[in-house]
Amino acid sequence: MASNQKLRDLEWLLQAFETESLNLHNISFYLSQPVSGCYQETENSMAINISSDCLEYFSLILIVLGPAKTSLLSLRNLEFRCVEWELEQVQNLGELLDSNLNIKQLVFMRNRFSEDCLSEFSDILKRNGAIKEVMFCESHIGTVGAIFLASALKVNESLEELQIWEDSIGSRGAEELSKMIEANSMLKLLTIFDSSSITATPLISAVLARNRGMEVHVWSGESGDKSSKVVEFTPQNTTLRIYKIDVSGACRVACALGMNSTVSSFDMTGVRLKSRWAKEFRWVLEQNRSLKEVTLSKTCLKDKGIVYVAAGLFKNRHLERLHLDGNWFSGVGLEHLLCPLSRFSALQCQANITLRSVTFGGSRTKIGRSGFAAILHMLTTNETLTRLAIVDDQSMRPDDFFRIFKSLEKNASLRCLSLQGCKGVRGERLLQAIMETLQINPWIEDIDLARTPLHNTGKADAIYHRLGQNGKPETEPENDLLKDMPLTEPKCCRVFFCGQEYAGKATLCNSISQNFSSPKLPYIEQVRTLVNPVEQAVRTVGMKIKTFKDEDTKISIWNLAGQHEFYSLHDLMFPGHGSASFFLIISSLFRKPSNREPKTPMEIEEDLQYWLRFIVSNSKRAVQQCMLPNVAVVLTHYDKVNQTSQNLEATVNSIQKLRDKFNGYVDFYPTVFTVDARSSASVSKLTHHIRKTSKTVLQRVPRVYQLCNYLIQILSDWRSENYNKPAMKWKEFAELCQVKVPPLRIRSRRDNKEKIETRRRAVATCLHHIGEVIYFDELGFLILDCEWFCGEVLSQLIKLEVRRQSSAENGFISRKELEKILRASLQSQIPGMGSKVFENLEANDLIKMMMKLELCYEQDPSDPNSLLLIPSILEEGRGKPQKWQLGGADCLYAGRHLQCDDSSHMFLTPGFFPRLQARFCPLSFTCRFMLFFRT
């Protein structure tokens, strides 16, 4: 290890290249360094530091690398940092690329190019047929550079990825790149981070107009503001999302969409639009044959714009879902919108029969009398609409909703009606009308009354029961008391590392942490710490959490334990309620890190499919799923793979099949990351993906209370002042709010204490949903250190050896005996661990938490001394099939075979069996169930 990290001089390097003693895949050049030298990051990666007084070595190295050498045929990637290029050096680089066609990637970070150098580099790209990826970051290529790149890529037929970060190519540069897109059909990924959002318009317009299967991401940071995404197009899921664009740019995009066939979902939420854009979009609706979903929420469209949209619906035969909530139109616009969905005589045909879902409403949408009449007429005559959502309406009265439900008595098509946040949904008369409608109309499957007065008063329970729902849905408590609490974009994002044991998750996490640190660290801190075989053989036990800061974003990596005994806990960690999170499924290309026995493509496919099904299964049961789970695949130990391996090609093909299979269930990132988890350089692209995906996810998920971002720091300070305590009682939290948080402070004895308490609980619940704490209202405490609780508490609970310490039979145990076992088990031989647990939590607190998480269940909830059932401690349940011990003649056995309806994409997760078994615990001891599952 020491020899690999030793800094060698450049003369040794030149000699090594001449004698062909190195076999490298990656070479990174760092110029303007304090010390010259080189060191190997990995067996196949070399970092070369060149100081300002040794610049001649840079040209010499490029010249030495130029002639074809057998040892350099494996060279794949070149990275240049802080290089001020001279024309002769660019020519040397061109000779190197001409002689070695195995080089696929060029990365330029903080480089400087003259116009002559850019022209020469353009000529290199024109004649090169091997390079697949070029990336410029903070290299100030500007408009001139964009023009030269565009001219080269009009000819080049090999380049697949072009990325320009932290630069300003200007409107002319963007126009030239758009002309290149019209001529180039090989480019698969274009990423631009520009100082102005105006560059997005010509680029995305060209991609749409030419039906290119090119992934496009454009970011901007105008006027020194923090970076924000402007436009995103992913052809794999055929989704175009525009975050920011001016009206003229929006019109240009609309023109390009007319004959486009690559976009099925078009989202412009939050973009301010005008009627002249809607006039262009009318033509899109009339001509386009691929759009299935259009989201124009909060776009400020008024009546005239809605009239144009409605006119397009008359001829449209393909759109299925239309979202127009949060706009500024009135009843006049609504009349026109619903006209193509209505019939006005028995002989008339409905103009539009393909649209299945319509959403409108909002505080600035004035439905009025004319709009209400149009809604009634549409519900009475429409025969195709299956979902209608009227959200946050403040203009319609209870009598209006009474008449709406009466009109549904004869509607045989509508399946779902959402009235979220409508203030007029109240009163006994309306409740009675809804119940009568459900008795007459059996086709309605779902009525969403969240945040309505009828729901908030608890009177909607009878409706949910009638619909077959199990109780009311989980929503935020008493929303009317929380309406003046400001919302903001969350600043915390969770990344879940999923994978089997020995996949390299912990090592990968450590390498990523190096990339999150400052790029200006001394060279010795950039050297990868090699892991010896003994360290590789030691598994990471339990779940681990590592947190990083990226500007003002907090990114936490949750490394889910890969050992099978922890699988039943994974369900508990799954994000819900629109939490900002995404997933990396990590699989090793080898069976164990200590040998070179590769996994077969089938084994890797099975690994990935388990976690994909796990994610889909838990996503389906999440209360609020605002977007598909974002998933990327990472293959580790790539440094050991033979580049010509047929197994690798077969693995890539099997992953493509999985991507196709789970299309529509997860948002599958198209790139499969192949890395050496030990090398920070190897995982740099993955780190970049984590950074940018975190920002994108944070922009998409629902907003959180502004107080949450404030409280995160307050809770951190509280822990620092209290000996890093991992948990706090609710009373302590209330006192902290009283002293430190003015909006959550009780100001006088006449204050509404219940309202303040409700606000405090709402903020704590929000912190729970975003993964900052673990909190349940009934338990009276908050867990501030999630890793401590999952690793030192929950992971110990699932491994309790109850049979050795008690007379527990078939999973049943008394509360006192369990408390005794918990104290004995958690006070392990690790110094301080047991005392730390019980300094913060009582044994009874742990039992309450276990019951809340459904890790155990009371046999008789009405009996305070009831026995507890803990399914996970059944002796046969640890890696062995469940079975009941045969007893006397009074035993009765019954069986039930359960499986998911969609078993190809979902399964009953390992955490499901203990929960279901706990549900059967009130059965008598003489009646046992055996459950068999197909997963």
Side-chain angles (χ1 to χ4, degrees), residues 414-433:
L414 199 69
R415 298 291 182 268
C416 176
L417 175 63
S418 175
L419 301 175
Q420 280 196 31
C422 293
K423 301 303 180 184
V425 181
R426 64 180 186 271
E428 292 293 335
R429 182 168 178 259
L430 177 58
L431 176 61
Q432 186 63 31

Side-chain angles (χ1 to χ4, degrees), residues 494 496-501 505 540-544 558-576 583 610-611 614-615 617-619 621 790 794-795 798 853 855 907 909-912 914-915:
R494 285 185 285 177
F496 287 87
F497 277 21
C498 306
Q500 311 296 337
E501 55 188 344
K505 300 187 292 297
T540 301
V541 178
M543 194 186 75
K544 302 296 180 183
W558 292 51
N559 180 359
L560 299 182
Q563 294 83 20
H564 285 271
E565 58 266 34
F566 293 99
Y567 277 19
S568 61
L569 289 180
H570 289 166
D571 289 3
L572 308 178
M573 304 304 128
F574 195 89
F583 301 84
Y610 170 86
W611 291 106
F614 166 80
I615 292 169
S617 300
N618 280 284
S619 298
R621 72 178 181 87
C790 297
L794 285 186
S795 62
I798 66 170
L853 298 177
L855 295 177
F907 64 85
T909 62
F912 174 82
R915 288 179 173 81

Side-chain angles (χ1 to χ4, degrees), residues 518-706:
S518 172
K520 297 182 180 180
L521 291 173
Y523 73 90
I524 196 64
E525 295 189 29
Q526 301 173 16
V527 179
R528 172 183 55 79
T529 302
L530 297 178
V531 182
N532 63 43
V534 175
E535 294 172 319
Q536 288 182 354
V538 178
R539 300 183 298 173
T540 301
V541 178
M543 194 186 75
K544 302 296 180 183
I545 301 174
K546 190 177 286 272
T547 302
F548 313 98
K549 290 290 288 185
D550 183 27
E551 298 178 351
D552 61 343
T553 302
K554 177 182 176 182
I555 302 174
S556 58
I557 295 179
W558 292 51
N559 180 359
L560 299 182
Q563 294 83 20
H564 285 271
E565 58 266 34
F566 293 99
Y567 277 19
S568 61
L569 289 180
H570 289 166
D571 289 3
L572 308 178
M573 304 304 128
F574 195 89
H577 294 266
S579 172
S581 59
F582 58 99
F583 301 84
L584 297 183
I585 304 179
I586 301 163
S587 181
S588 173
L589 290 165
F590 293 83
R591 287 173 181 159
K592 286 190 178 181
S594 57
N595 60 45
R596 290 179 175 264
E597 184 178 2
K599 288 183 181 177
T600 65
M602 182 63 69
E603 290 176 311
I604 295 176
E605 182 178 350
E606 288 176 358
D607 286 354
L608 300 180
Q609 183 160 251
Y610 170 86
W611 291 106
L612 286 168
R613 293 173 70 197
F614 166 80
I615 292 169
V616 172
S617 300
N618 280 284
S619 298
K620 292 294 183 181
R621 72 178 181 87
V623 174
Q624 180 181 353
Q625 186 182 2
C626 60
M627 63 181 186
L628 293 177
N630 189 298
V631 176
V633 172
V634 181
L635 301 179
T636 58
H637 299 101
Y638 181 66
D639 53 305
K640 302 178 182 178
V641 176
N642 185 347
Q643 296 295 324
T644 60
S645 171
Q646 294 181 352
N647 269 2
L648 185 60
E649 183 177 351
T651 299
V652 172
N653 292 335
S654 66
I655 294 175
Q656 180 59 46
K657 292 178 182 177
L658 286 177
R659 182 182 291 117
D660 296 339
K661 177 178 179 180
F662 285 87
N663 183 32
Y665 291 86
V666 299
D667 185 1
F668 213 128
Y669 190 71
T671 301
V672 176
F673 295 94
T674 52
V675 301
D676 173 7
R678 302 169 301 166
S679 167
S680 58
S682 178
V683 302
S684 60
K685 290 180 67 176
L686 179 59
T687 306
H688 178 76
H689 169 74
I690 291 174
R691 278 188 167 125
K692 298 309 174 185
T693 303
S694 298
K695 293 182 182 295
T696 301
V697 168
L698 288 171
Q699 291 177 352
R700 291 184 177 182
V701 298
R703 295 187 298 170
V704 299
Y705 294 119
Q706 198 173 74

Side-chain angles (χ1 to χ4, degrees), residues 28-33 39 41 47-51 79-82 526 681:
S28 300
F29 293 90
Y30 297 82
L31 270 68
S32 302
Q33 298 295 304
Y39 59 88
E41 293 185 307
I48 302 173
N49 292 346
I50 300 178
S51 62
E79 181 177 350
F80 302 92
R81 291 176 180 256
C82 304
Q526 301 173 16

Side-chain angles (χ1 to χ4, degrees), residues 155 168 254 457 502 574 580 644 658 671 709 785 833 898 932:
V155 179
S168 179
T457 56
Y502 297 117
F574 195 89
T644 60
L658 286 177
T671 301
N709 293 333
D785 189 338
M833 195 279 270
L898 302 180
F932 302 92

Side-chain angles (χ1 to χ4, degrees), residues 191-456:
T191 302
I192 305 290
F193 192 126
D194 203 275
S195 60
S196 172
S197 61
I198 198 173
T199 57
T201 300
L203 298 175
I204 193 62
S205 298
V207 170
L208 298 176
R210 298 293 291 181
N211 288 313
R212 298 299 188 204
M214 179 191 303
E215 185 175 349
V216 179
H217 301 274
V218 181
W219 297 73
S220 76
E222 295 178 319
S223 304
D225 294 340
K226 69 175 185 178
S227 60
S228 60
K229 180 162 278 192
V230 179
V231 66
E232 173 185 62
F233 173 56
T234 51
Q236 289 76 18
N237 58 15
T238 64
T239 299
L240 172 61
R241 175 72 165 96
I242 297 178
Y243 298 88
K244 181 169 60 175
I245 197 171
D246 58 22
V247 176
S248 60
C251 291
R252 182 171 174 179
V253 171
C255 292
L257 268 176
M259 303 304 292
N260 175 272
S261 62
T262 59
V263 177
S264 66
S265 178
F266 180 44
D267 189 347
M268 295 191 72
T269 298
V271 177
R272 189 159 187 159
L273 301 173
K274 295 188 176 181
S275 57
R276 67 186 181 100
W277 173 86
K279 186 177 181 180
E280 296 292 340
F281 192 66
R282 169 189 176 174
W283 180 78
V284 174
L285 291 175
E286 292 179 351
Q287 301 293 324
N288 187 283
R289 296 174 178 270
S290 64
L291 277 177
K292 301 296 182 185
E293 181 173 11
V294 172
T295 303
L296 303 175
S297 302
K298 302 177 183 178
T299 54
C300 307
L301 284 174
K302 299 181 181 179
D303 286 335
K304 189 175 180 180
I306 296 298
V307 169
Y308 282 123
V309 173
L313 292 177
F314 274 98
K315 292 186 178 180
N316 184 279
R317 296 293 180 269
H318 303 278
L319 189 67
E320 297 178 359
R321 298 175 295 279
L322 177 62
H323 305 271
L324 291 168
D325 52 300
N327 285 285
W328 297 358
F329 56 90
S330 68
V332 174
L334 187 57
E335 276 188 284
H336 285 79
L337 177 66
L338 300 181
C339 187
L341 302 175
S342 307
R343 291 183 298 114
F344 295 90
S345 74
L347 300 177
Q348 182 189 16
C349 293
Q350 186 177 306
N352 186 303
I353 59 173
T354 56
L355 194 62
R356 296 286 183 266
S357 173
V358 175
T359 302
F360 57 86
S363 59
R364 300 194 63 171
T365 301
K366 308 303 180 183
I367 293 177
R369 294 297 91 194
S370 59
F372 169 65
I375 293 172
L376 282 183
H377 186 77
M378 186 273 294
L379 290 175
T380 305
T381 61
N382 181 276
E383 297 177 347
T384 57
L385 200 69
T386 59
R387 183 181 186 276
L388 174 65
I390 306 173
V391 298
D392 297 314
D393 173 73
Q394 300 179 11
S395 61
M396 290 194 292
R397 299 168 296 190
D399 186 61
D400 298 332
F401 289 104
F402 175 87
R403 295 176 62 187
I404 285 175
F405 278 99
K406 283 299 181 182
S407 70
L408 288 176
E409 290 181 356
K410 296 182 180 180
N411 186 302
S413 64
L414 199 69
R415 298 291 182 268
C416 176
L417 175 63
S418 175
L419 301 175
Q420 280 196 31
C422 293
K423 301 303 180 184
V425 181
R426 64 180 186 271
E428 292 293 335
R429 182 168 178 259
L430 177 58
L431 176 61
Q432 186 63 31
I434 296 174
M435 298 300 293
E436 291 175 357
T437 298
L438 293 178
Q439 288 178 347
I440 297 172
N441 186 339
W443 309 115
I444 298 177
E445 299 174 357
D446 184 32
I447 298 177
D448 188 354
L449 301 178
R451 298 184 290 110
T452 64
L454 204 62
H455 175 92
N456 294 338

